[in-house]
Amino acid sequence: MFKIFHKLVGDSNERALNEIRPIVDEINELEPEFENFSDEQLKGVTADLRSRYQAGETLDDLLPVAFAAVREASRRTIGMRHFDVQLIGGIVLHQGKIAEMRTGEGKTLVSTLPAYLNAITGDGAHIITVNDYLAKRDAGWMGAVHHFLGLTIGCLQNNSSWVFNPDAPVVSQDDSTGNDDENGDMAPPVRLPEDNFQTGTKREAYECDITYGTNNEFGFDYLRDNMVENAERRVQRGRAYAIVDEVDNILIDEARTPLIISGPAREQSQEYRRFAQLAKKLSPDLHFEIEDKRKTIVLTEEGIAAVEKELKVENLYAPENDVLSHFTENAIRAQHVYAKDREYVVDGKDVVLVDEFTGRLMTGRRFSDGMHQALEAKEGVTVQRESNTYATITLQNYFRMYVKLAGMTGTATTEAEELDKIYKLEVVEIPTNRDTQRIDRRDYIYMTEEAKWEAIAERITELHHDGRPVLVGTTSIDKSELLGDLLKKKRIPHNVLNAKQHEREANVVAEAGKAGAVTVATNMAGRGTDIILGGNPDVTVASEAGWQADHDTIIQKGGLFVLGTERHESRRIDNQLRGRCGRQGDPGETQFFLSTEDDIVRRFGGDRIRGAMNLFRWEANIPIENKMVSKSVETAQTKVEAQNFEIRKYLVDYDDVVNTQRDIIYQLRDTVIDGEDLRPTITEYLEEEVRLIVLERIAGENENYDVDGLYRELLTVFPTTEGFPAKDDVWEMRPEEAEQAFVDVVETIYDKRTLEFGGDLLNKLERTIMLRTIDEHWVEHLTSMDNMRQGIGLEAAGQRDPLVAYKRNAFQMFTALDVTIKSTIARTIFRVALSQQPPPTQKVEVNATKVDADVSTQRANAIANQKSVMASVNSGHGGQAGGTSLAQVPTHTPDGRKLTRSERRKIERAQRKQAKQSGE
């Protein structure tokens, strides 16, 4: 069955390639013509293509000419000509699919083709990479091609933004990086691709035809754009087309963590330290059990009793103790589940997360729900405040907003199902430019982990002395440092590349192909730099024999040897490691060394293998090389991948609910910000609020005809009773008549307020009030949704689907949010006045909170100071008409009997008559 399915998939891939090959032939036919173009003629192609597009031709019509122009421009500017397979990859990307291309096949160059073509529309093209270094390097490198053709190129960084300018002065380097010329003077610094920039604003970077940046930067900019208070502060201009580099890493691995913009909550650092001490007193298995798959813990009866005794509470899981149980579980997870130098590192006084898939530091990213604070308390560093969520989105929902999305990677086939189900992206395998010569050896499996590491160190020593470069892949920082210590003992020179040395990444990888080089690295996903046999000639220094001789010698010895020290949960990560060798037809060899104590081996039955090895008196330092065992490991990986897919699908299903709500709120904000007339919207809110008040006070049973209460409550909406019908008249009205009478007052008072403030000033005041009200209640709603989601899993205990319950509760909560926002706006809009009334001739502006500062702090301050920033309540019109306060009409007699409506009306009229006489 599997073979039949694989054949069908293969046929589908071949059909896709067969449809593309005629287009490649068409591009190739244009090549001689474009080679004869002058530079000016070649640059003029862009204007011609734009004219044709505006005249009605499609991008598919323009593709052959556009690709031929980019190929020729690339050859002239950076000396690289696109191979036919790279043209195929570019066409696949233009079609909105994923191009799976082996490492070293030139994916970075491929992206120049569809990016240029799609930028012709004027809507912009985004190229998304995994880190700031690659974003700036690729923009500066490939930007030369686009710049030559007349396009503008922007680059987004975490703390800065850039616009491509090849004439920008090179930033002065440290003296240690300079080169002395023959006279001993400092030679001019070498111009690197990342030097071809001038600083610019984010808006300028987004306004460029092609913009490079990281997935997080694009996502956070979207959230920030929906937190600004005026349209001029938005930076993004749409999401027409995006190419995601290392698409599997970004859309799958990174997608498990949503993007969150947050602000500080209340101080609780002492509580975290207190519970960190408590966690140290508890023991696994005795007090709690650990679920490795989800990284959660479950307290045992003994554990619950121990915690209750320590905290001096009777029931840890009583509703009033939910905060205590939450602190307890986080502290235990921090102490016993999350390991230093595996999930995180301590950098000075900060706990910095480590990307488990790439081994990179995720600076600025924090665990939510108090988990990060628990880790800080465990490590004894400063415990930062918890935060309230102001805006959040998953990467899945952000990237699904693009009109056309494409991606490229070396390994996507294993995740093709997920990419299709969530993103509707088809994976197309692109053939290699040259036949692959890589040899993938069977796994070696040792009885103990200690024996495995000794064998690895011994094998590296052999390869090093033989002059072959070795790349060793580890799954965590502590394992890479463990191996580094073993190699030091054997006096083998080596480089360790992990999250702690990420600044040296490019240089280390550039040297990894030199003869005898030993490079120990955490997962090699998305490193973005080729390992060239003989070393990268642009970065490293060749031996006396020259780079070509070095290169040929290593090829004769078998090329780069990739040694995996452990299988990863995902086959894709293992394939990425294997893919670091055998580039462009080079020879190479890969092999994984495992032990029965490895996590992935234990999951499918490492104990049974160890038992069999003991039965046959197998020596610890002799490995098993068995196809069935290796196959079993892959089966275990497939199961784990399926579990991880379910976790990500679960995240998407839940975020889809919030996403619908987020779209409605952001559309409402856009209506406010984009200068639309808000009077019809606010009038609708006011009329609805008035109807609710009237119906509550005087509609229904006769006993509820409360005119006094009606007037009092209406004064929470209107600044004065001027224009209200007389109370005596209201007593005689039917509920629907009273409702209409008060609704009619809305327009009258609105006109009066417009005259009082002036149209422009009132419009600015309306926008300020609406934005602050929407933002304040949206933040509260997100917190409530978060809290509700954390406990929704308990629905499963009652045989109910938690997702269905979540959707139902979310709908009810959002309905309540909608009512609250409208009611708050209605009760605020007429009840505020400017703190200072301006002279009639003075131009007045309502000051909005600046967005230049940190968004989290800005939003926190804006919400906390909402009333003072917005306006002060106008208390000068709060009295009753006529200036005499009437006593409240009683509802009961002194002996407790409830008054009838007729009796209350008599008392009301008597009070009015007495008040009138007193006035006379």
Side-chain angles (χ1 to χ4, degrees), residues 222-240:
Y222 166 74
L223 294 177
R224 293 183 191 111
D225 274 0
N226 285 285
M227 296 172 69
V228 300
E229 299 189 358
N230 58 70
E232 292 72 25
R233 293 193 177 276
R234 290 193 187 125
V235 295
Q236 290 189 341
R237 63 182 181 109
R239 286 162 288 280

Side-chain angles (χ1 to χ4, degrees), residues 525-537:
R527 292 294 180 192
T529 306
D530 281 341
I531 297 178
I532 301 173
L533 300 185
N536 188 329

Side-chain angles (χ1 to χ4, degrees), residues 273-496:
R273 294 192 182 93
R274 171 191 172 198
F275 280 87
Q277 295 302 317
L278 168 62
K280 292 177 181 178
K281 300 176 182 178
L282 304 178
S283 305
D285 299 329
L286 174 62
H287 295 115
F288 58 88
E289 296 175 357
I290 299 174
E291 186 183 352
D292 291 325
K293 183 176 71 175
R294 296 184 184 273
K295 293 187 176 179
T296 58
I297 63 99
V298 178
L299 286 168
T300 63
E301 291 296 329
E302 291 83 355
I304 294 172
V307 173
E308 287 174 345
K309 180 180 179 182
E310 186 74 22
L311 299 179
K312 298 180 174 59
V313 296
E314 292 185 5
N315 182 0
L316 179 63
Y317 289 99
E320 63 272 16
N321 293 328
D322 60 342
V323 174
L324 299 179
S325 59
H326 180 67
F327 272 119
T328 302
E329 291 175 5
N330 268 355
I332 295 173
R333 288 170 65 204
Q335 187 67 40
H336 299 278
V337 179
Y338 289 87
K340 182 179 176 182
D341 291 342
R342 188 178 68 194
E343 282 86 8
Y344 66 93
V345 299
V346 177
D347 184 9
K349 296 183 178 180
D350 296 322
V351 170
V352 183
L353 302 184
V354 174
D355 188 329
E356 64 173 301
F357 297 99
T358 66
R360 291 190 179 91
L361 290 179
M362 297 191 289
T363 306
R365 297 275 289 273
R366 293 175 63 84
F367 285 128
S368 59
D369 201 28
M371 191 64 234
H372 211 98
Q373 286 76 10
L375 290 172
E376 288 168 336
K378 167 191 173 182
E379 296 297 339
V381 299
T382 303
V383 178
Q384 299 183 26
R385 285 190 181 188
E386 273 194 75
S387 56
N388 290 327
T389 299
Y390 293 149
T392 178
I393 192 171
T394 59
L395 287 173
Q396 290 101 323
N397 272 322
Y398 174 72
F399 283 110
R400 288 193 296 184
M401 287 191 288
Y402 277 88
V403 177
K404 183 163 66 172
L405 181 65
M408 50 189 185
T409 182
T411 48
T413 305
T414 57
E415 314 292 347
E417 179 187 2
E418 179 171 351
L419 291 165
D420 178 56
K421 282 187 176 180
I422 294 181
Y423 302 99
K424 309 299 181 193
L425 287 173
E426 179 186 342
V427 177
V428 179
E429 294 182 62
I430 310 299
T432 56
N433 186 48
R434 295 176 181 171
D435 292 337
T436 302
Q437 298 186 43
R438 190 182 77 204
I439 301 171
D440 295 329
R441 303 288 184 191
R442 287 181 186 169
D443 299 347
Y444 275 173
I445 302 178
Y446 291 83
M447 185 181 298
T448 65
E449 191 170 8
E450 182 181 357
K452 178 188 77 171
W453 287 112
E454 285 295 334
I456 288 171
E458 193 59 41
R459 181 66 174 137
I460 292 172
T461 302
E462 293 172 8
L463 292 165
H464 171 71
H465 290 317
D466 189 37
R468 284 184 71 180
V470 186
L471 173 66
V472 187
T474 63
T475 57
S476 63
I477 296 172
D478 55 342
K479 294 293 175 62
S480 65
E481 293 181 343
L482 167 66
L483 180 57
D485 291 339
L486 288 174
L487 294 176
K488 283 179 183 177
K489 291 178 181 178
K490 292 182 176 290
R491 297 186 176 181
I492 301 297
H494 62 279
N495 282 314
V496 177

Side-chain angles (χ1 to χ4, degrees), residues 23-142:
I23 305 174
V24 175
D25 293 339
E26 194 175 344
I27 298 168
N28 287 332
E29 288 173 4
L30 292 170
E31 187 169 19
E33 177 186 347
F34 277 75
E35 285 178 338
N36 292 326
F37 277 9
S38 67
D39 285 356
E40 290 304 316
Q41 286 177 311
L42 192 57
K43 291 175 182 178
V45 171
T46 302
D48 179 56
L49 290 174
R50 282 182 164 156
S51 297
R52 291 171 59 184
Y53 177 78
Q54 291 168 1
E57 292 191 56
T58 66
L59 292 180
D60 290 342
D61 297 332
L62 307 178
L63 189 151
V65 172
F67 277 35
V70 173
R71 175 192 257 179
E72 182 59 24
S74 175
R75 188 182 65 80
R76 296 187 190 187
T77 55
I78 59 176
M80 302 176 77
R81 175 189 173 276
H82 297 77
F83 301 128
D84 284 1
V85 291
Q86 290 175 316
L87 297 179
I88 293 174
I91 295 169
V92 168
L93 292 177
H94 165 66
Q95 293 173 341
K97 299 176 182 178
I98 291 176
E100 180 177 275
M101 302 181 71
R102 288 283 188 94
T103 299
E105 291 294 306
K107 293 188 288 293
T108 306
L109 183 63
V110 168
S111 66
T112 58
L113 299 162
Y116 171 77
L117 175 60
N118 284 269
I120 292 295
T121 64
D123 295 326
H126 297 165
I127 299 181
I128 292 139
T129 63
V130 293
N131 62 42
D132 281 344
Y133 165 73
L134 290 178
K136 195 171 183 184
R137 186 206 67 175
D138 293 353
W141 185 13
M142 298 298 142

Side-chain angles (χ1 to χ4, degrees), residues 597-612:
E597 297 173 348
D598 292 348
D599 289 340
I600 197 70
V601 178
R602 281 193 290 109
R603 289 189 185 187
F604 83 89
D607 291 340
R608 291 197 300 274
I609 297 176
R610 189 161 54 250

Side-chain angles (χ1 to χ4, degrees), residues 654-673:
Y654 277 84
D655 191 63
D656 280 345
V657 178
V658 181
N659 196 49
T660 304
Q661 300 178 358
R662 178 171 46 238
D663 288 345
I664 295 171
I665 291 294
Y666 285 178
Q667 286 172 15
L668 181 58
R669 283 189 108 260
D670 288 344
T671 300
V672 177
I673 289 173

